[in-house]
Amino acid sequence: MEIYKFAQEVISDAGAFIRQRMTEDFNIDSKLNPNDLVTDVDKETERFLFEKIEERYPDHRILGEEGQGADIEDTDGVLWIIDPIDGTLNFVHQLENFAVSIGIYIDGKPYAGLILDVMKDDLYHAAYEQGAYKNDRPLHDIEASSLKSSLISTNANWLVRDGINTPFIQIVKDARSVRSLGSAALEFVNVARGTSSAALFYRLHPWDFAGGVILLNEVGGITTTLLGDGLRLLNTNSIIAANKTIHAEIIEYFKADEAFIRNHKKFHKL
Ligand code: 2AM
Ligand code: CA
Ligand code: CA
Ligand code: CA
């Protein structure tokens, strides 16, 4: 439990660092795609977390979006998977609705998941088989729901992408309604809080889901690929994070679509 406690402290400190740093100027660059932005604050926050963790636990390994642990190829030992800012576009455009996300795995097994809503300073955290919390308050088990009576979340980009969008379009038609927040980690939080019944993504990286999977599991939710398969922790995956009832209903839309299955396999190099 010592690592879990330390993780709660270090993620809260990272939130304070970001809130302070945002009051000063920062540079914004684009990555490969002009809409894929990264700021100085993303990089500095990853550095901040790396230095604190490394100082306390020199033998732990750290994989981060902004370059830490890019050579990591196995899940041996204690592995921290970190997204210093999840929702960088929200950070740049809204100055809210972004998170720090941390998933800790020991020999590939879930140990703890932590997601900090930075501007609200709300910390969602869970240790494996110890329950999930919003700050000091326990989160309750989520309820079963059907697609037709549920709010779900997905990103509009997948709805306009030929070759894979047919099942997404039908799901949107059959759901009560659809929301899109723009931070994968906070979309996991919404499912864990029960304010959304399912979150669907065609591609997430390990740092986008590593914390959320553990949090959601502690309130009785489930996370798999859109075809219902287990996640590969060090790879990109398609993701559905949901209550178990709607999960079973939604994956059938994807499993029934041969073009989707073919393109999904190629895209994720399965
Ligand atoms: P980021 O802000 O850490 O980059 C937005 O819909 C969500 O998708 C965010 O969690 C965002 O994480 C992530 N994201 C951003 N660019 C992406 C990309 N090119 N592929 C997959 N996910 C991406
Ligand atoms: Ca990014
Ligand atoms: Ca992310
Ligand atoms: Ca990020």
Side-chain angles (χ1 to χ4, degrees):
M1 295 306 274
E2 182 199 282
I3 301 171
Y4 180 38
K5 280 275 166 261
F6 172 73
Q8 291 173 45
E9 282 166 30
V10 87
I11 197 171
S12 297
D13 291 349
F17 172 81
I18 294 169
R19 289 190 301 271
Q20 161 58 34
R21 183 65 183 81
M22 314 161 57
T23 65
E24 300 155 19
D25 289 346
F26 54 83
N27 284 312
I28 304 171
D29 291 325
S30 55
K31 293 189 170 177
L32 294 177
N33 150 358
N35 296 329
D36 189 2
L37 303 184
V38 61
T39 75
D40 291 346
V41 189
D42 297 67
K43 296 173 198 165
E44 289 169 23
T45 305
E46 182 159 307
R47 189 85 220 147
F48 177 94
L49 286 164
F50 175 80
E51 283 173 2
K52 298 250 174 198
I53 297 161
E54 157 106 307
E55 185 186 7
R56 174 74 173 256
Y57 297 113
D59 58 330
H60 290 189
R61 300 199 295 163
I62 303 165
L63 172 65
E65 177 175 11
E66 309 309 340
Q68 280 305 328
D71 55 346
I72 288 177
E73 285 178 353
D74 64 68
T75 57
D76 296 347
V78 184
L79 176 62
W80 295 64
I81 304 180
I82 290 179
D83 196 337
I85 297 186
D86 181 64
T88 296
L89 287 180
N90 291 352
F91 174 71
V92 169
H93 288 266
Q94 304 179 330
L95 301 173
E96 61 182 358
N97 299 320
F98 60 90
V100 183
S101 175
I102 297 179
I104 307 172
Y105 291 76
I106 301 183
D107 292 329
K109 292 196 286 290
Y111 169 76
L114 305 96
I115 296 171
L116 179 74
D117 181 327
V118 175
M119 297 317 286
K120 293 191 177 127
D121 199 20
D122 281 329
L123 177 58
Y124 298 87
H125 59 97
Y128 187 68
E129 292 187 338
Q130 306 291 318
Y133 294 81
K134 174 184 181 181
N135 302 317
D136 298 332
R137 202 161 47 77
L139 295 179
H140 302 298
D141 278 2
I142 55 176
E143 285 174 21
S145 69
S146 66
L147 186 57
K148 73 175 192 305
S149 63
S150 291
L151 290 184
I152 64 161
S153 121
T154 194
N155 184 317
N157 294 338
W158 311 126
L159 286 162
V160 297
R161 188 193 272 248
D162 291 340
I164 61 146
N165 57 356
T166 311
F168 282 102
I169 291 169
Q170 196 56 47
I171 289 164
V172 169
K173 287 181 179 171
D174 292 350
R176 174 163 282 167
S177 196
V178 180
R179 300 287 181 264
S180 191
L181 186 57
S183 157
L186 293 179
E187 276 158 342
F188 268 93
V189 162
N190 283 344
V191 177
R193 296 168 65 207
T195 58
S196 167
S197 295
L200 277 57
F201 310 89
Y202 188 59
R203 174 180 59 201
L204 289 184
H205 291 92
W207 38 84
D208 301 314
F209 63 78
V213 166
I214 298 174
L215 184 79
L216 183 58
N217 186 57
E218 288 305 308
V219 291
I222 183 171
T223 309
T224 67
T225 72
L226 292 173
L227 293 169
D229 296 320
L231 304 184
R232 300 178 303 162
L233 187 57
L234 296 179
N235 294 81
T236 68
N237 292 268
S238 68
I239 298 269
I240 170 171
N243 72 64
K244 286 173 182 156
T245 304
I246 199 172
H247 171 273
E249 188 181 355
I250 290 175
I251 61 173
E252 293 307 322
Y253 287 74
F254 295 102
K255 290 168 79 172
D257 190 318
E258 281 171 24
F260 177 87
I261 294 171
R262 226 175 16 251
N263 288 321
H264 178 272
K265 189 170 181 172
K266 213 182 323 167
F267 188 79
H268 290 290
K269 301 188 174 71
L270 292 164

